[in-house]
Amino acid sequence: MQDGGWRPQIRGEGNWTAKEDEEILLADRRSSDSGSGSRNENGNGRLSERGENEDRDGFEKEGEDEDEDEYRDEGEGEGSRRGLSRSTKGTIWVVLMTMSTLIGRRILRGGFPYPFFLVLLTQLIAWILVAFLAFLVQLKRFSTKSAKSQEASEGYSWLATIFIIFRALLASSISGVAALCGALALLHSPNLPVLAMLPIVTYVFDSFLFRLAYVLRLFPRDQSTSARKAYKVIFVLACSIPPILFDYRLNIRSLFVAVAGFALLSLSKVISKTGPKFERKGNGTGRWDTPLHFYLLQGIAPLVISWMAASKYENVIAAHHAFTTWTWGYGLLNLAPGVLLQQLFVASMNSAHPFVSEVHVGGALEEPTEKATDAIASTLQAGFWTVIIGVLGQEKNFIDWIQVIAFTLIYVVCVGPKHIGYYPPRLLNIVSRIFRRRQLPLHPEPWQFAFFLVTTTVVFAIVISCNVMFWVDTVAYNRNLKTWLGPKTLNLDTMYRPPQLRSFDIIIAHSEGDPVSTISDLISTFTTHHFIRNLNPRVTVYSKDPTINISTPAAASLKGAFEGDLSMQTLRNSGGVPATFLHHILYSWSFMPVQTLFLSTASTNPLTLPLHQNRLSDYFTPMGFPLPDALPKSGFLSLGEQESCWCGQCFDSLGWEDTFHLVPSMWSAARPGSPSCESVLLTYGNNFIASAARIRGTKKDVWQMLYDGLVDTNLENAWAHKKEKMPIVLPGEEGRGRFRPGAVYGVKDSLERPYLGMTIERLWGVLLQCSTPEIAWACPALEVGWRIGGRREDCGCIE
């Protein structure tokens, strides 16, 4: 939807605002027509030489009183060529930004969770290619006889040179950190459509930071300070809130990192313009501040920062090993868009168009030039195509009409009806170009008439909004639904009848080293819950801490205000929390109640306990009376986060992988005769509710086999501890990445904390036949709790 040619505007704006815009446009034309030397003097090689804002393209003059024939001749002549050049660059930016964002998302969430290393690869390859090109250019210069005379007659003063280099390195350092933030947000953000709507916020930071720098007299005083279009800044800021506020998968950390990246990118642009303009001595061509040399200079700091970040925070050895397994074709497909984006625009994944004004203090949102409008349109179009094409990936997120309408309103208000009004003829020209027909000249009549402006804008807004909703909430969902295989009927033990109908068990697994006070917190929180207190709950505590006091007075102190039955037992410290739960399942096989709540002190703390309580309040359906089997009730409900993976090669975002290959085998064991699995749902935290019908629906031998594997003390012969079942540790990888202390494999496999236990923790949903696409798509994050239009079935299975 970029410009297809020169676009004359409706004339007749005789008020002071039109004159003010005309002055800005004339100043922008003079800035664009000035020599390239003045641009290099500012040290803005990164943004001015390669960015869209320093184009030498011409701009239309709003309200300019010219003869109509002359106006049209100019529109079909030189202006058309200039507009096409700007349009081509904008289209290239949109394509590269969309491709690099989507490919980066697929790589980072597809078994290569190393965002800093990926940014380092992109920057390094781009820098090497530019260095090679600069070397070839330098060889050509040295081959000419006049090269030495040219080089000797030009340059800056030593003070100006130091300032320009320092400014360039400082600005590029900050933009390098912004690129790392963008990649990190791309990895951790659960909802890609919402993330793709946010880069426009960069221009909000531009307006605030550029004006602040102007007030502090860091900029020259020859620029316009008009605030006539500042309302767009407030409007974008206000409309950016609904996509975040109504994001049911909101991750505060990824949101903070993304916004920090936008702010840092804006700050780097402010620094790149800060300071006086320096006059270069001489007019030769063999100078050090050419675009190629300046790119190489500014590329040094981001490379160093990316290398330091990757070395300190990521497993470089594993990342390099994974990178070396890529074929040439696969590597070219993954890295080429990001490298080209870095070379041509010095931009990174999921960022705004690198626009900097030379004639107005504010950002693109406040400037009336066509370059500013094109930058805004390009940023929003890249977000739109990221959302649309992203449905072809592995995204499993719904979006709401409120989020889409807010995004569409930003486009309509900030790009403007005049710009949108030319979309129909440009679309016709694209079709004509495809069929090799003559293109239509772009005239203001009739496309700029009020009727056509209103009609085109309304139709555009409706088409954009409906397309986004249709592709994300319908096409993507139906496409992903085909990967969730399973039997049409569940394998439930509907013949079982508990000895005591009105009962509810709460099983608490206490691990060695966990605070005893956590047991009291769990008892007081869940026994008093309005869904449970009327079910005559019984509490059983299994502790693997040999120092715990299980005497009657100690048990009474843990009960607090709870008046029901409480029993405490100690178990041998083996198998971890899953072994505790399996022990209880096998022990109570013949007398378990209709529903049982399993809780773990290992994954409970003052921050997560309220979240678990809210998840139970929002999505738990207790059994009814007098016929529990005849009324809907929760068959399985996980109180923790959940994540999906592919059955054949299952891994998660924490670095865990199914080295035991239990996912497909347990899927089949819980669903005899069902087809092979593809997508499955992983659970976290060992906190869940399960019904007796689902527990007993899986054969007792399966539970016994898993329990035996966890508690087998013969480590040399136990299948759960065989070397070939352990994750591979590369040379030099010890203590790094997922093997560092505190990470998923930070503690070595042992009888007390076997790696098999982490696998079973993730398989409760699979074993209890509650691995469904409805949960994968609809269940909100724990911090959010509920989504608009949500149901109790969104996070659990009702039977």
Side-chain angles (χ1 to χ4, degrees), residues 292-542:
L292 293 178
H293 291 87
F294 219 90
Y295 179 93
L296 295 177
L297 172 65
Q298 291 183 309
I300 296 175
L303 282 174
V304 174
I305 292 174
S306 297
W307 170 251
M308 293 175 60
S311 300
K312 183 175 182 180
Y313 299 106
E314 293 181 350
N315 189 345
V316 179
I317 296 175
H320 179 265
H321 178 267
F323 172 67
T324 55
T325 60
W326 293 359
T327 62
W328 281 98
Y330 185 75
L332 181 64
L333 176 65
N334 289 339
L335 300 177
V339 170
L340 290 175
L341 185 67
Q342 180 73 24
Q343 290 177 325
L344 299 179
F345 301 97
V346 197
S348 57
M349 299 175 288
N350 196 53
S351 60
H353 191 284
F355 175 86
V356 175
S357 174
E358 293 297 320
V359 296
H360 193 275
V361 172
L365 295 174
E366 298 185 62
E367 185 171 316
T369 64
E370 280 299 305
K371 287 180 183 178
T373 303
D374 288 343
I376 297 172
S378 297
T379 300
L380 295 173
Q381 288 167 17
F384 170 78
W385 289 114
T386 299
V387 173
I388 295 298
I389 304 176
V391 303
L392 302 177
Q394 299 300 320
E395 302 300 322
K396 301 177 182 65
N397 305 286
F398 291 123
I399 56 176
D400 190 78
W401 274 107
I402 298 176
Q403 298 170 306
V404 177
I405 290 175
F407 180 71
T408 305
L409 288 177
I410 290 177
Y411 196 108
V412 171
V413 172
C414 295
V415 175
K418 290 183 178 180
H419 190 99
I420 298 174
Y422 284 100
Y423 285 176
R426 269 182 272 149
L427 180 61
L428 293 176
N429 282 343
I430 293 175
V431 176
S432 300
R433 190 177 302 175
I434 294 175
F435 291 97
R436 300 180 179 274
R437 301 301 180 103
R438 182 183 177 183
Q439 299 181 37
L440 300 175
L442 296 180
H443 299 305
E445 300 86 359
W447 310 110
Q448 293 296 302
F449 291 163
F451 172 77
F452 283 98
L453 285 180
V454 173
T455 303
T456 304
T457 302
V458 172
V459 171
F460 172 80
I462 293 175
V463 170
I464 288 294
S465 301
C466 293
N467 265 280
V468 171
M469 290 296 296
F470 174 73
W471 279 87
V472 176
D473 286 5
T474 303
V475 175
Y477 178 75
N478 292 335
R479 178 176 177 270
N480 181 256
L481 199 64
K482 299 177 182 178
T483 66
W484 297 83
L485 308 177
K488 295 182 180 179
T489 57
L490 297 176
N491 187 32
L492 304 180
D493 187 358
T494 56
M495 303 301 295
Y496 172 75
R497 294 294 181 270
Q500 187 176 355
L501 188 61
R502 195 180 187 88
S503 62
F504 187 92
D505 280 0
I506 299 178
I507 310 303
I508 300 177
H510 177 249
S511 303
E512 183 179 13
D514 291 342
V516 179
S517 59
T518 307
I519 301 176
S520 300
D521 296 338
L522 290 173
I523 294 175
S524 62
T525 299
F526 290 100
T527 56
T528 58
H529 195 279
H530 62 280
F531 280 158
I532 299 177
R533 63 190 177 195
N534 296 325
L535 298 178
N536 190 24
R538 301 174 302 188
V539 178
T540 302
V541 178
Y542 295 99

Side-chain angles (χ1 to χ4, degrees), residues 614-629:
N614 293 336
R615 175 57 56 90
L616 185 141
S617 301
D618 293 335
Y619 297 100
F620 176 57
T621 301
M623 57 183 174
F625 293 96
L627 299 174
D629 293 340

Side-chain angles (χ1 to χ4, degrees), residues 141-152 286:
R141 282 182 183 162
F142 284 144
S143 63
T144 61
K145 296 181 180 180
S146 59
K148 293 185 179 180
S149 61
Q150 290 176 350
E151 292 176 359

Side-chain angles (χ1 to χ4, degrees), residues 675-730:
S676 59
C677 62
E678 290 189 22
S679 295
V680 295
L681 199 64
L682 306 179
T683 58
Y684 296 95
N686 287 312
N687 298 285
F688 59 92
I689 295 175
S691 67
R694 287 185 183 259
I695 294 175
R696 294 174 58 92
T698 301
K699 293 182 179 180
K700 188 176 182 181
D701 293 341
V702 176
W703 302 113
Q704 188 68 55
M705 182 268 296
L706 295 175
Y707 179 72
D708 292 341
L710 288 172
V711 300
D712 191 349
T713 58
N714 188 357
L715 299 182
E716 296 181 357
N717 298 320
W719 64 271
H721 303 279
K722 288 186 177 181
K723 185 177 181 180
E724 57 268 22
K725 300 291 185 180
M726 300 294 106
I728 299 175
V729 183
L730 300 174

